[in-house]
Amino acid sequence: MKNGTALSSGSISSTTGELAERIARTAAAGKPIQLMTHQILGYPDFDANYEMIRLFHENGVEIVELQLPFSEPIADGPVFLKANQASLENGTTTEQCLRFARKVVADFPGIAFVFMTYYNIVVRQGIQAFVRTCADIGIRGLIVPDAYPEESDDFLQACREHGVEPILIVTPYTSDERLAYLSRQTGGFLYCAARKGVTGSKTTFGEETDAFLARVRAVARTPVAVGFGIQHAEDVAFLRGKSDIAIIGTRLLTLLEEEGLPGVERFLKSLSGAAS
Amino acid sequence: MSTEPIAADNAIPGATRVLAPENGYYGNYGGTFIPEILVPAFAELSAQFEAIKQDASFWQDYTALLTDYSGRPTPLTHADRLTAHFGRARIYVKREDLNHTGAHKLNNALGQAMLAKRMGKTRLIAETGAGQHGVATATVAAKLGMSATIYMGREDMERQYANVFWMKRLGAEVVAVDYGSRTLKDAINETLRDWVSSFETTHYLLGTASGAHPFPAIVSFFQSIIGIEAKEQVLRTAGRLPDRVYACVGGGSNALGAFQAFHPHDEVQLVGVEAGGQGRDSGKHASRLVYGEASPGIAQGYKTMFLQDRDGQMKDTYSIAAGLDYVGVSPILADLAERGRVRFEAATDAEVVEALQLVMRTEGLIPALESTHAFAGLFKHIEETSASEIVIVNMSGRGDKDIFNVAEGLRDEEWNGFIERKHQQYNG
């Protein structure tokens, strides 16, 4: 493995924001790889979201991504797509999501919460107003895959102004030049989508992942997170020492649907074993 | 009507004829709101599109194929009996129904497929609403030796099963989209999902002048052939420019095709006709610009006027015509509407069914339900016109595909009896 320098607290400058510093502190305290898990709010319902987050907390998950559902989730695969739409059919509103977020941020101070959503949800609330609300709630970062950075100055500015990190995504197809640009624009961490495609299908982690992460590491000024296709504890083990954070999304939802909370708990324990 | 090739001065439409975006925007609308994974695909597409716009040989190859394969130029028919019926403006019909595959869709499909070949792609993917764009894409894939996958909402498949049949017979894979409103917008999302995995070998052949930049520019560029021909034809036949040009508007490709050549002439009124469905306040329509219920939003890669709720969730739309049943609208048209250059009308299902019967019986033309909206939009206001005026209606496609919907709309008992007998025959 080349360029496998996992994060040490010294490599993060204090200008990369509170979330990055928090990740760096956890790394410095001896956690080789941190976990970020995911919830689509309102699916299957908010109570289930809460129980899942409780399990995340009990199993040492550091960061939780709360997805505000959108009717046209173009970057999501079939599992999340269905969940987005089912949540909306249940009547989930942005306001309910914000209220729920306020509660879990207060109840689980050990977890750093970030939002994931699509740009229209942000724009409809008003960019300034939405980001200000996020800051007020204690949301640490925002992942908005269709807020194309070159088109989203207002959004990036608002995030920086209110101390809510705009977390940008890079892929193995991102050119070196663009990688450098995005690594300057991102806050909190750099979200590395491990492959092409949408969320939810399996990624074969191997030499290509290593090469991609080496390119990312060469320019990253923040911690690095890897997502898209992490389905097993072995994937997390593979990423140890290469990525600061492993992102687990679809697999958790599939497990919840197939095996319920006990299945999720077993899986989380295996992940947390691989991560420590 | 003309059967001559396109005149030499139209050899390349050029930047003046195509409405050019500024940094991907048309006024307040347009842009590129795409996930990072698609950035290289869009960069490649933009670069190749810029290259072919400057390349006279590409346009010549394109128009040659349109002439020899697709049957262009399509005629401009003087609808004399329809004109006499109203005793008002002289009505001309631009006959995109006579384009190969029966609609204007092939103009764009052929152009983009040629562009895709230039980029070394071997596979085409496309969304389709009414199925016309799907059939056009399946057709060019067969003609150019490429493979094709077409995404179509389950609801639209039921409405337009004849087109599904032809797409499959032409060798395309047809994938039913089974979530959301199961219509055009969901088919677009699903095609994008394919593309984020397949862009290295695959071109997304978007069928309407919507989506992220440069798609609105590309689609309107290839469709501009409609207006280029119509302008030349009306000048030759009537000796002057028309007073009005009517076109139906779903995503906006046929309307922009018809409007662009006339756009520089301020005296020509451009009228887009949306799907009024069951009417204003019914909650069952696809009118983004007339009924005042749409608002600016960002979805499916671009910014335009969307029918959305307070939170920004897209609403379900409805129309008797699957091809107009879309939640957004071309950013070019949203801009032209805002600037007052294109006026919008909405025609309800009932008005469309009535207009269709009139057009069939006076002119012997069978426009698609989509295209019939353009006629219905004209008929609503024909009394305001005078006999000295000239109007062009862009008949974007033929209506054969709509036989089931039209029979249903007209409550045709004989047809129902026929279906019943067929049903028994297959069951027996």
Side-chain angles (χ1 to χ4, degrees), chain B residues 76-155:
Chain B
L76 184 74
T77 302
H78 178 209
D80 55 337
R81 298 224 323 126
L82 194 56
T83 302
H85 173 84
F86 289 110
R88 300 285 170 168
R90 198 170 355 144
I91 302 167
Y92 288 91
V93 181
K94 180 60 176 163
R95 300 289 306 283
E96 290 303 293
D97 59 311
L98 294 179
N99 203 27
H100 180 38
T101 72
H104 71 293
K105 290 293 185 187
L106 197 80
N107 305 336
N108 168 56
L110 209 49
Q112 279 198 49
M114 288 172 65
L115 183 60
K117 278 217 122 171
R118 229 183 214 229
M119 294 188 290
K121 311 291 182 192
T122 56
R123 177 172 173 259
L124 301 173
I125 53 174
E127 84 296 341
T128 196
Q132 291 301 112
H133 177 57
V135 168
T137 302
T139 300
V140 298
K143 177 65 180 165
L144 300 184
M146 304 170 89
S147 65
T149 301
I150 312 296
Y151 292 91
M152 189 169 185
R154 175 77 72 186
E155 178 142 332

Side-chain angles (χ1 to χ4, degrees), chain A residues 7 42 79 81 97 132 135 215 254 260:
Chain A
L7 185 66
V79 174
L81 168 68
C97 293
R132 202 183 311 119
R215 283 208 300 134
T254 312

Side-chain angles (χ1 to χ4, degrees), chain A residues 112-269:
Chain A
F113 287 94
V114 301
F115 274 156
M116 183 273 180
T117 194
Y118 289 86
Y119 205 21
N120 204 41
I121 299 296
V122 177
V123 168
R124 283 298 277 187
Q125 301 288 321
I127 292 170
Q128 279 290 337
F130 182 81
V131 177
R132 202 183 311 119
T133 304
C134 290
D136 180 53
I137 290 173
I139 293 296
R140 309 283 176 161
L142 286 167
I143 303 168
V144 186
D146 62 342
Y148 186 59
E150 285 88 337
E151 298 262 7
S152 311
D153 262 355
D154 297 357
F155 172 65
L156 296 174
Q157 284 298 338
C159 286
R160 291 184 191 113
E161 199 177 306
H162 295 286
V164 180
E165 304 296 344
I167 297 160
L168 301 187
I169 300 170
V170 297
T171 82
Y173 295 82
T174 306
S175 68
D176 284 339
E177 189 191 358
R178 194 171 162 74
L179 209 51
Y181 163 75
L182 294 172
S183 69
R184 285 194 302 275
Q185 299 294 321
T186 198
F189 56 86
L190 199 53
Y191 188 131
C192 304
R195 54 160 170 75
K196 59 189 178 180
V198 289
T199 57
S201 35
K202 173 84 187 102
T203 300
T204 308
F205 291 95
E207 281 173 22
E208 283 180 30
T209 321
D210 287 343
F212 169 45
L213 290 177
R215 283 208 300 134
V216 173
R217 282 287 184 205
V219 295
R221 315 203 295 187
T222 54
V224 165
V226 175
F228 276 50
I230 297 181
Q231 300 194 338
H232 304 287
E234 299 83 76
D235 299 333
V236 175
F238 174 88
L239 292 169
R240 269 177 70 148
K242 302 173 186 177
S243 177
D244 305 305
I245 301 159
I247 304 167
I248 302 99
T250 306
R251 182 75 189 135
L252 284 163
L253 184 52
T254 312
L255 275 172
L256 177 68
E257 287 175 339
E258 287 170 0
E259 299 175 27
L261 290 169
V264 172
E265 189 165 13
R266 277 192 299 277
F267 179 60
L268 284 170
K269 290 202 187 311

Side-chain angles (χ1 to χ4, degrees), chain A residues 72 76 94 120 151 196, chain B residues 25 189 193 200 298 311 313:
Chain A
E72 319 301 315
D76 283 309
T94 302
N120 204 41
E151 298 262 7
K196 59 189 178 180
Chain B
Y25 278 84
N189 291 340
R193 279 188 196 100
E200 287 166 291
I298 295 167
D311 277 356
Q313 312 295 355

